[in-house]
């Protein structure tokens, strides 16, 4: 979205916020939705300080009006955690992601895709801190849920293969990394096509891991051979 579109979206959200505050009151859940939307726009613009304040307002209203154990409250925890994660405040992000996981598990169950997403977010925080054991455990939990619920050939499952591959690559476990990068790549080639952004990203990730492990190798030749199997 270009800058003008962000500003237009922000303007419309602020107008809607004023109308809802006037007609519904400042503590109505729909007002919290507006704060949530405004915060999202700030995140997209990387205005994290503003986003944090707006997500906190949304969270405060949702906790007060909807309760601690509500899916909208979980969303507020999750998105506020993302703000901290983006700024490297991993301790704060961990605690909020854990709260989001607890709510999603209680309401949706362990095997729901939204619960899997919460696990994935926390795994990424661990990964960023090089807590590889903890990250691997959660990524594999996400993988188990997505394979069961969405299937092994779903693009969302491919995303976890890619995350696992990156985890192994960071530890210089190149054979494991290439195994998962290749699985992610094949799914996207067949499901999304060669020109899809995810396909191209996974291809590039795989090439980098291949050359790290085999600097003199021919990646394109290797990939052609793998795709024939």
């Amino acid at each position: 979205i270009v800058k003008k579109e962000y500003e237009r979206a922000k303007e419309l959200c602020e107008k809607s916020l004023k109308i809802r505050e006037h007609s519904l009151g400042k503590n109505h859940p729909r007002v919290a939705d507006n704060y949530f939307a405004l915060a999202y726009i700030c995140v997209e613009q990387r205005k994290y300080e503003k986003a944090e304040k707006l997500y906190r307002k949304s969270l405060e209203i949702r906790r007060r009006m909807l309760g601690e154990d509500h899916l909208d409250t979980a969303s507020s925890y999750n998105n506020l955690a993302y703000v901290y994660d983006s700024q490297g405040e991993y301790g704060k992000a961990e605690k909020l992601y854990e709260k989001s996981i607890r709510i999603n598990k209680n309401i949706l169950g362990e095997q729901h895709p939204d619960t899997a997403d919460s696990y994935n977010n926390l795994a990424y925080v661990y990964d960023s801190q090089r807590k590889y054991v903890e990250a691997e455990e959660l990524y594999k939990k996400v993988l188990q849920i997505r394979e069961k619920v969405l299937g092994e050939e779903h693009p969302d499952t491919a995303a976890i293969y890619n995350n696992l591959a990156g985890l192994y690559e960071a530890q210089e476990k190149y054979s494991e990394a290439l195994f998962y990068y290749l699985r992610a790549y094949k799914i996207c080639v067949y499901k999304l096509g060669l020109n899809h952004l995810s396909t191209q990203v996974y291809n590039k990730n795989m090439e980098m891991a291949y050359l790290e492990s085999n600097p003199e190798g021919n990646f394109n030749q290797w990939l052609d051979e793998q795709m024939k199997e």
Side-chain angles (χ1 to χ4, degrees):
I1 303 176
V2 298
K3 183 178 180 181
K4 287 184 179 179
E5 290 176 328
Y6 281 128
E7 293 304 317
R8 179 58 177 160
K10 179 173 178 287
E11 180 183 338
L12 292 173
C13 281
E14 288 174 343
K15 285 183 177 179
S16 176
L17 174 61
K18 288 181 180 179
I19 294 169
R20 285 179 172 174
E21 283 184 332
H22 179 73
S23 60
L24 301 173
K26 292 187 176 182
N27 291 313
H28 196 279
R30 298 296 295 275
V31 171
D33 294 345
N34 278 94
Y35 282 127
F36 192 90
L38 280 168
Y40 179 81
I41 294 170
C42 290
V43 168
E44 290 296 299
Q45 297 177 295
R46 298 185 180 181
K47 297 178 179 179
Y48 295 121
E49 186 175 346
K50 289 184 178 179
E52 178 187 352
K53 291 178 181 178
L54 291 166
Y55 275 138
R56 284 198 170 278
K57 284 185 177 181
S58 174
L59 175 61
E60 181 182 345
I61 296 170
R62 287 175 171 178
R63 288 182 64 188
R64 184 186 305 119
M65 305 306 295
L66 302 175
E68 179 72 18
D69 295 316
H70 193 281
L71 291 176
D72 285 351
T73 304
S75 293
S76 288
Y77 280 132
N78 181 81
N79 286 32
L80 181 56
Y82 178 81
V83 171
Y84 289 130
D85 183 10
S86 299
Q87 298 177 91
E89 297 186 58
Y90 299 123
K92 292 181 179 179
E94 280 184 32
K95 291 178 181 178
L96 294 173
Y97 278 138
E98 286 168 356
K99 289 184 177 183
S100 178
I101 288 170
R102 181 189 60 79
I103 297 168
N104 284 330
K105 280 176 64 177
N106 288 343
I107 298 175
L108 302 172
E110 177 78 13
Q111 300 297 314
H112 194 279
D114 288 354
T115 305
D117 291 346
S118 296
Y119 280 131
N120 183 59
N121 292 339
L122 181 57
Y124 185 82
V125 172
Y126 288 144
D127 197 349
S128 299
Q129 297 175 86
R130 300 183 181 181
K131 296 180 179 179
Y132 296 130
V133 174
E134 294 92 334
E136 181 180 11
E137 180 182 351
L138 285 181
Y139 279 142
K140 286 188 173 180
K141 186 175 287 190
V142 177
L143 180 59
Q144 180 269 325
I145 296 170
R146 288 190 175 173
E147 285 182 336
K148 180 178 179 180
V149 177
L150 303 176
E152 294 185 9
E153 304 301 319
H154 194 282
D156 286 351
T157 305
I160 299 303
Y161 290 143
N162 179 73
N163 290 354
L164 269 172
L167 180 74
Y168 291 128
E169 182 183 359
Q171 299 173 81
E172 299 184 356
K173 297 179 179 180
Y174 295 114
S175 60
E176 292 96 329
L178 288 170
F179 173 78
Y180 283 109
Y181 276 140
L182 185 61
R183 292 190 73 173
Y185 178 73
K186 284 183 175 180
I187 291 169
C188 286
V189 167
Y190 298 135
K191 296 291 184 179
L192 304 175
L194 285 169
N195 294 324
H196 193 277
L197 178 60
S198 294
T199 308
Q200 294 176 8
V201 168
Y202 299 161
N203 178 278
K204 190 64 178 179
N205 290 345
M206 183 166 46
E207 181 180 11
M208 291 176 65
Y210 176 85
L211 293 175
E212 285 170 4
S213 63
N214 188 12
E216 303 302 321
N218 186 320
F219 171 72
N220 290 327
Q221 180 180 337
W222 174 84
L223 181 58
D224 286 341
E225 292 172 356
Q226 300 303 312
M227 295 300 288
K228 291 175 183 177
E229 293 182 1

